[in-house]
Amino acid sequence: MKKLVLFTFALTLMFSVNAQIETPQPSPFTKIEQKVGLTDVTLEYSRPSMNGRTIFGDLVPYGKVWRVGANKNTIITFSDAVVVGGQELKAGAYAIFITPSKTSWDVVFYSDTNNWGTPKTIEASKVAAKVTIETMELPMNVETFTITFDNLTSGSAELGFIWENTMANLKFEVPTDKTVTAAIEKVMSGPSAGDYYAAAVYNLGEGKDLEKAKEWMDKAMSMTKDPKFYQLRKQSLLYAALGDKKNAIAAAKKSLAKSEAAGNADYVKMNKDSLKEWGAK
């Protein structure tokens, strides 16, 4: 019995050690991070090899949905909304599926990325975009399936799908010009109400140049249609710090009324305490 127990323990230990051995994956995982203009694009996929097999029309049949690689879905993630084949893709992650024919591929960007392989059925509600692209024949074979980012410009790039002696390119456009133009217009039009308010609050908190802080705060309030109770609270504290009790009390009363309407007990108490301290009637 003792020998049997020792043998069983040794066998268990052997299998435990073997389970820790790591071996190479036949279809290695790849992750590419590419900046296109101002948009971050991440591509994650696994890369099978030919290994003497015929790929398109055989291993990857024509007319059937292909997972575009191996193992888990090939997933592409965009930090901004992009345009593919005239169709807008919202910012986010998409699985890529391809239905190949001999001369063209139908490429689908699928909003459900949690399938392992291909879904049993492609649900129309989950198809974010579908684009048909032409294929081209290469003069040589590419052993391992490859997806590239090619023809990079400030406003677009192409996904290159390459395997065996076939290549296909898919162009996507990013909103670089729209983003930069909006930023230019914002800067050239001058600081916003939020910018003036943040600068005033910073100076107040740091005790720096309160007169300049008052100028910024007044500018912020003049640009704000409906100041919030917390903004009016900061304005009242700034006036009080400058010794202007009259305007401090007026701002505190406005903040009190709005904080009561909002049901914010903390600001109600703070305003009441300040009004009492400043001798409000």
Side-chain angles (χ1 to χ4, degrees), residues 196-219 234-244:
Y196 281 118
Y197 177 78
V201 169
Y202 176 78
N203 270 23
L204 173 61
E206 296 297 317
K208 291 177 56 177
D209 197 348
L210 296 184
E211 287 294 341
K212 177 60 74 174
K214 177 181 178 298
E215 177 186 330
W216 289 334
M217 181 64 78
D218 290 346
K219 182 71 173 176
K234 287 294 185 183
Q235 185 182 40
S236 71
L237 293 175
L238 178 53
Y239 281 135
L242 286 165
D244 186 352

Side-chain angles (χ1 to χ4, degrees), residues 172-236:
F172 64 92
E173 298 170 272
V174 295
T176 306
D177 183 64
K178 180 180 178 181
T179 302
V180 173
T181 299
I184 290 171
E185 290 176 351
K186 180 180 178 182
V187 170
M188 294 307 176
S189 65
S192 67
D195 294 328
Y196 281 118
Y197 177 78
V201 169
Y202 176 78
N203 270 23
L204 173 61
E206 296 297 317
K208 291 177 56 177
D209 197 348
L210 296 184
E211 287 294 341
K212 177 60 74 174
K214 177 181 178 298
E215 177 186 330
W216 289 334
M217 181 64 78
D218 290 346
K219 182 71 173 176
M221 292 302 183
S222 70
M223 296 170 67
T224 304
K225 185 177 181 180
D226 184 24
K228 305 299 182 184
F229 59 84
Y230 53 84
Q231 294 174 316
L232 291 162
R233 170 70 181 167
K234 287 294 185 183
Q235 185 182 40
S236 71

Side-chain angles (χ1 to χ4, degrees), residues 33-213:
E33 295 179 342
Q34 179 66 60
K35 177 80 77 171
V36 182
L38 299 176
T39 301
D40 295 314
V41 186
T42 303
L43 179 68
E44 300 171 86
Y45 73 109
S46 294
R47 303 181 63 192
S49 293
M50 291 175 62
N51 293 324
R53 300 171 294 183
T54 299
I55 304 303
F56 295 107
D58 189 359
L59 180 67
V60 179
Y62 292 137
K64 292 187 177 181
V65 178
W66 175 43
R67 75 177 77 181
V68 192
N71 303 326
K72 185 182 177 181
N73 296 143
T74 290
I75 297 174
I76 192 165
T77 305
F78 302 103
S79 64
D80 300 307
V82 302
V83 174
V84 181
Q87 303 162 66
E88 182 175 272
L89 281 175
K90 295 179 181 178
Y94 300 92
I96 302 176
F97 298 112
I98 289 175
T99 302
S101 70
K102 196 163 186 177
T103 58
S104 65
W105 291 354
D106 289 335
V107 184
V108 166
F109 290 84
Y110 205 61
S111 61
D112 185 354
T113 62
N114 295 318
N115 302 285
W116 185 277
T118 57
K120 290 181 179 179
T121 57
I122 296 291
E123 298 180 40
S125 62
K126 296 180 179 179
V127 175
K130 183 177 180 180
V131 184
T132 299
I133 55 177
E134 294 183 355
T135 61
M136 63 186 79
E137 187 174 339
L138 300 175
M140 74 296 184
N141 280 337
V142 175
E143 172 68 20
T144 303
F145 176 60
T146 303
I147 305 177
T148 60
F149 286 95
D150 299 318
N151 299 324
L152 293 162
T153 72
S154 63
S156 67
E158 291 183 2
L159 287 174
F161 301 95
I162 311 167
W163 202 13
E164 197 179 30
N165 65 340
T166 300
M167 179 175 183
N169 293 319
L170 174 60
K171 182 178 180 179
F172 64 92
E173 298 170 272
V174 295
T176 306
D177 183 64
K178 180 180 178 181
T179 302
V180 173
T181 299
I184 290 171
E185 290 176 351
K186 180 180 178 182
V187 170
M188 294 307 176
S189 65
S192 67
D195 294 328
Y196 281 118
Y197 177 78
V201 169
Y202 176 78
N203 270 23
L204 173 61
E206 296 297 317
K208 291 177 56 177
D209 197 348
L210 296 184
E211 287 294 341
K212 177 60 74 174

